[in-house]
Amino acid sequence: MSVRPLPTSGDRAEVVARLRERVAALECRTTRSAGQTVPSTSGLSSVLPLEAGHAYGVDSAFLGLALAAGASRAGEWVGFTGFPDFGAEAAAGLGVALDRTVLVPEPGEHWLEVTAALVDVLRVVVLRPTVRVDAKQAGVLESRLRRRSAVLVVHGGWPRLTASVSLERSLWEGPLDGRGHLERRRGTLVVDRRGRPATRVDVVTTGSEVEVLTPAPAAATPWRRASG
Amino acid sequence: MRVLAVWCPDWPVVAALLEEGLPATAPAAVIKANVVEVCNEEARREGVRRGQRRRDAQGRCPELRLLASAPDRDGRAFEPVLETVEALRPGVAALRPGLLAVRAPGRWFGTEENAAATICEALVETGVWDVRQGVADDLFCAEQAARWADLQGWRVVPAGGAATFLRDLPLQVLEQDPQGREVVGLLRRLGLSSLGDLAGLPAQAVEHRLGAFGSRLRRQARGEDPTSFHARTPPPDLECEVVFEPPLDSVEAVAFSVRRTADRLVEQLAARQLVCTAVRVEACTDDGGASVPTSVRTWLHPRFFSPADLVDRVHWQLSPRATGGVRSRKDAGVVAAPVERVRLVPETVEPAAAHGEGLWGGAGDELVERGVARVQGMVGFEAVRRPVLQGGRTPAARQADVVWGERAVDLRPLDRPWPGRVPGPPPALVFRQPPPSEVVDDAGVGVRVTERGAVTGVPTSFRPPSGGWQPVLSWAGPWPVDEGWWQGAEGRCARFQVVGADGRAWLLRCADDGWTVEAGYD
């Protein structure tokens, strides 16, 4: 590594900032900055842009796959912990690149350590805790998330979620008294952020995409997390 | 220079039978492009010939065992033969699988007959039954002499006697390649029938009429074969071994001590511009003086092994079952006694250039690999998986997961039609242990599927994996499958897609032993 001389004159604060940046680079800290968004599946990104360093909740395995699919499609690594019933074909259909997917089907009692280790190296980690998670364990993971700018998607109980996504009034269409087969599912995607009114959009999901029927009402002003 | 040629007739057949553990006396043929490439003596006796179509060959000999052509396998199986001869006389040249040449051992064995007898005995001891040898002044003549020798016999052409020996041989012996076949056809039409006739032609006339190839054949026929052969360099011994004195009883200590050996293995591979993608780890325990490998396992790597990876593999192989948790579910090959020695044998070695990294990346993947190795250290090697897709009819059959760090093997092909598979979007939940369920019609009678694939009633109510009974909103099916009954697989069953009153859909399977929920469209 070449050593650049620091400017002798100039603003003192600027020099300090530059030194900090160089120390961060030496420490191999990630250059992803917090507040940056992680791509999610095309249909969902307008409704729920995933912000790096935050935890999101989902209520179905399908939504967990869909939230991870965008990042995977963009070339990032994703991981799933606590999914013994992982549907690999559905994941691949939504765009999860299986060769960049780490699966820990049954982490058992090590779930916290495993998830923390995965958060260190993967961009999106989908977790399905089998036990009750307390605020301390959640805090450990959240600080790790912020430092590594990863996204945690939780399918299950979690004390502090940035937003939780659920599919209400969902209905599969296609079969008719023995004829036909499952084709698509209609439902209402509800995005519930803390301290804000929930966003509701009608969606149609198929094996390969999530299509938003009604545009999100607040699409003009992108959602930003309330400070604090 | 005297040359000794060792010829094992019909080598591809011998190699294939050897590798598949079949008896060597059964009629067998190696088939390539639907045509018999090589067949053995038993098959020839039944009328099977080289170049015959497969169906004709089977018509002649119905019990003919058909083997696929695999040049790699032939070469691999020939390696022990080369090694055996090399141990007796260095400077072996492998001309092709089944034929090797070596400078005839001179006075060490007394006479050339004695040398041939010694080599023959050594080869028969290694399990190669059909060995024929020829000794002559040049390579061509030695090969021909070997072809005219008897089973486990030899034929020595005395010095200067090559021309006499070759004179009476028919021209067909030159039909080794297409070009030779063409020239032999021409010579026959010119009225020649033996090698002696060809040898007697004037050199210039042959050169004019048949070109360089023809004049080389003429020189071979005169016993003046100009071909020389290059002795091969024996392949280097790449395996590494570390011996512990006194034997170590702690996995950590073994892993620590193996570190330098792992470094050495990777270094000596790197010095030859090679990397190792499959390694066999053998651990020997101190077992009453005799040191036998008690824990043997082959590890595959998706990229190639670094020293740290090798140490990890040794650690995982030797670690006993951890207390609690899900660590290493497979406890085969666990060493309980103190470990005396560890051997690392590279099984697959590939040129490093094939695994080079681009200048523009790869660092991220390496980081992930290191992080995942840490997770494997926590929960056990086999608890971290990589999902893969494969062909099949049901969602569970269409996917598989392989241990992280190993390559997927024996996957069913995806690009086949798989008739009877369930259509529609793939389910997000595929149950590893399908929970039992029940489906009834409006009279409360369980719905079944008859042998002809008819549904006995309209499903009106079913039991999903969680919660109580639920009315059926809509359903589709059945997709009957009668699969694998001849090998103890699931046999006859039918699948239904059922949408419950809450709008969720499930994939149910109806078999003779009841209903199960195979997957959920969650």
Side-chain angles (χ1 to χ4, degrees):
Chain A
M1 172 187 249
S2 65
V3 176
R4 281 168 297 165
L6 286 168
T8 45
S9 63
D11 195 1
R12 194 183 167 83
E14 190 189 321
V15 173
V16 169
R18 203 173 301 165
L19 277 173
R20 278 208 181 120
E21 190 182 301
R22 200 176 285 187
V23 168
L26 283 174
E27 284 179 345
C28 291
R29 246 185 260 154
T30 170
T31 48
R32 310 167 191 153
S33 56
Q36 183 190 348
T37 59
V38 174
S40 64
T41 310
S42 54
L44 287 177
S45 57
S46 59
V47 190
L48 179 72
L50 291 181
E51 279 179 50
H54 291 259
Y56 295 85
V58 291
D59 74 334
S60 71
F62 175 83
L63 285 176
L65 295 178
L67 286 187
S72 186
R73 207 176 266 187
E76 303 277 1
W77 283 76
V78 297
F80 295 84
T81 45
F83 280 83
D85 307 325
F86 183 75
E89 209 181 359
L94 281 167
V96 175
L98 295 182
D99 51 349
R100 285 195 308 271
T101 302
V102 184
L103 183 63
V104 187
E106 285 157 14
E109 63 192 29
H110 303 286
W111 68 269
L112 184 64
E113 293 93 325
V114 168
T115 313
L118 288 182
V119 159
D120 271 355
V121 289
L122 309 181
R123 198 64 199 264
V124 178
V125 177
V126 185
L127 166 71
R128 192 171 183 180
T130 45
V131 292
R132 221 182 118 75
V133 184
D134 57 32
K136 186 175 158 237
Q137 289 168 328
V140 169
L141 261 186
E142 274 162 13
S143 74
R144 193 77 80 102
L145 278 180
R146 278 193 294 278
R147 202 162 66 235
R148 310 299 309 192
S149 303
V151 170
L152 183 70
V153 178
V154 185
H155 180 195
W158 195 260
R160 285 189 301 265
L161 289 170
T162 307
S164 58
V165 193
S166 55
L167 202 55
E168 285 180 4
R169 294 207 313 258
S170 85
L171 178 62
W172 276 95
E173 292 179 352
L176 193 71
D177 296 335
R179 277 169 291 134
H181 58 80
L182 293 179
E183 275 162 21
R184 69 195 87 77
R185 167 169 54 177
R186 292 179 190 281
T188 309
L189 195 73
V190 182
V191 180
D192 187 12
R193 291 180 183 74
R194 275 192 305 167
R196 281 176 172 273
T199 321
R200 293 171 172 276
V201 285
D202 289 339
V203 292
V204 172
T205 74
T206 58
S208 57
E209 59 174 354
V210 182
E211 194 188 336
V212 177
L213 292 183
T214 51
T221 54
W223 288 100
R224 202 158 286 139
R225 205 170 78 99
S227 60
Chain B
M1 185 185 80
R2 300 283 285 168
V3 178
L4 184 147
V6 180
W7 181 52
C8 305
D10 313 324
W11 184 254
V13 178
V14 176
L17 290 175
L18 202 72
E19 203 158 282
E20 292 183 18
L22 298 170
T25 50
V30 169
I31 304 284
K32 189 183 183 186
N34 222 21
V35 157
V36 174
E37 196 179 39
V38 189
C39 59
N40 61 1
E41 186 54 45
E42 282 76 12
R44 260 194 297 277
R45 217 174 290 142
E46 300 286 332
V48 180
R49 291 286 174 273
R50 191 178 197 167
Q52 221 165 25
R53 287 197 316 158
R54 186 178 68 176
R55 191 179 287 178
D56 294 342
Q58 280 177 314
R60 293 281 172 90
C61 176
E63 63 269 31
L64 184 72
R65 215 176 271 280
L66 300 177
L67 304 155
S69 163
D72 285 354
R73 175 192 60 204
D74 305 343
R76 197 165 56 227
F78 200 54
E79 191 68 18
V81 175
L82 291 175
E83 277 170 18
T84 311
V85 178
E86 213 155 44
L88 293 167
R89 171 77 179 176
V92 170
L95 301 175
R96 59 173 178 270
L99 182 68
L100 68 86
V102 64
R103 287 182 62 175
R107 268 173 292 176
W108 173 257
F109 294 100
T111 61
E112 282 162 347
E113 280 86 357
N114 285 356
T118 315
I119 290 175
C120 182
E121 193 187 347
L123 285 177
V124 171
E125 257 173 39
T126 59
V128 185
W129 185 250
D130 197 352
V131 186
R132 294 154 199 243
Q133 300 175 71
V135 187
D137 284 339
D138 60 66
L139 186 59
F140 177 75
C141 188
E143 188 189 333
Q144 294 311 322
R147 282 176 190 275
W148 289 96
D150 301 327
L151 171 71
Q152 294 185 6
W154 51 87
R155 184 138 183 188
V156 178
V157 179
T164 327
F165 171 75
L166 292 170
R167 196 168 50 206
D168 299 329
L169 297 187
L171 277 176
Q172 280 93 315
V173 299
L174 298 175
E175 290 181 325
Q176 295 287 341
D177 46 25
Q179 203 179 359
R181 238 164 279 159
E182 201 178 308
V183 169
V184 168
L186 178 63
L187 291 173
R188 279 228 189 108
R189 277 176 276 141
L190 289 171
L192 307 180
S193 64
S194 69
L195 286 184
D197 296 345
L198 174 62
L201 294 177
Q204 269 202 331
V206 174
E207 171 94 49
H208 282 160
R209 186 70 177 79
L210 301 170
F213 183 76
S215 51
R216 215 187 93 220
L217 289 186
R218 178 181 167 275
R219 290 185 68 186
Q220 286 183 338
R222 290 171 70 89
E224 299 161 1
D225 183 16
T227 327
S228 63
F229 54 86
H230 296 284
R232 68 167 194 160
T233 315
D237 209 9
L238 292 173
E239 57 198 54
C240 284
E241 190 178 74
V242 57
V243 181
F244 307 121
E245 187 62 45
L248 300 176
D249 53 0
S250 140
V251 176
E252 305 297 331
V254 172
F256 184 76
S257 315
V258 154
R259 201 156 300 223
R260 282 187 56 191
T261 313
D263 279 342
R264 199 173 75 226
L265 179 79
V266 172
E267 254 169 43
Q268 70 179 17
L269 284 173
R272 295 186 173 85
Q273 317 251 315
L274 297 172
V275 290
C276 172
T277 56
V279 75
R280 191 170 75 236
V281 178
E282 296 179 6
C284 304
T285 48
D286 180 21
D287 194 15
S291 140
V292 282
T294 46
S295 164
V296 181
R297 181 171 169 173
T298 300
W299 299 86
L300 303 177
H301 198 282
R303 292 169 68 232
F304 55 86
F305 283 105
S306 70
D309 292 334
L310 285 171
V311 174
D312 276 350
R313 299 308 189 269
V314 174
H315 194 284
W316 291 333
Q317 184 169 331
L318 297 183
S319 332
R321 182 184 269 267
T323 51
V326 287
R327 191 164 179 151
S328 88
R329 263 166 285 157
K330 191 163 139 195
D331 46 359
V334 164
V335 174
V339 178
E340 195 183 36
R341 70 178 71 204
V342 172
R343 275 177 79 204
L344 303 173
V345 186
E347 288 210 325
T348 311
V349 206
E350 288 170 17
H355 287 270
E357 267 175 19
L359 285 172
W360 47 86
D365 295 3
E366 218 166 76
L367 201 71
V368 171
E369 243 158 57
R370 238 179 296 151
V372 174
R374 212 162 65 230
V375 176
Q376 283 178 316
M378 279 181 240
V379 292
F381 175 66
E382 281 165 8
V384 183
R385 323 286 293 193
R386 186 166 59 85
V388 286
L389 297 182
Q390 62 175 348
R393 297 195 166 81
T394 67
R398 289 181 69 79
Q399 65 182 41
D401 46 10
V402 291
V403 173
W404 178 270
E406 296 211 334
R407 264 170 289 171
V409 286
D410 293 338
L411 292 181
R412 288 183 289 273
L414 259 173
D415 53 355
R416 305 291 148 83
W418 297 108
R421 63 177 274 216
V422 181
L429 284 178
V430 179
F431 296 112
R432 213 171 260 196
Q433 272 111 25
S437 174
E438 279 169 83
V439 179
V440 295
D441 59 9
D442 47 6
V445 182
V447 176
R448 317 289 309 167
V449 177
T450 64
E451 263 182 42
R452 308 295 297 260
V455 189
T456 57
V458 177
T460 47
S461 162
F462 77 113
R463 208 153 45 82
S466 54
W469 285 88
Q470 224 182 77
V472 172
L473 202 64
S474 60
W475 60 284
W479 285 276
V481 163
D482 193 359
E483 206 178 15
W485 46 266
W486 57 90
Q487 52 182 22
E490 59 179 5
R492 198 177 58 230
C493 61
R495 292 187 170 76
F496 291 80
Q497 287 173 339
V498 173
V499 182
D502 59 355
R504 298 169 83 184
W506 306 94
L507 181 68
L508 302 181
R509 169 178 179 268
C510 172
D512 290 342
D513 53 352
W515 289 79
T516 47
V517 185
E518 278 202 330
Y521 298 85
D522 193 13

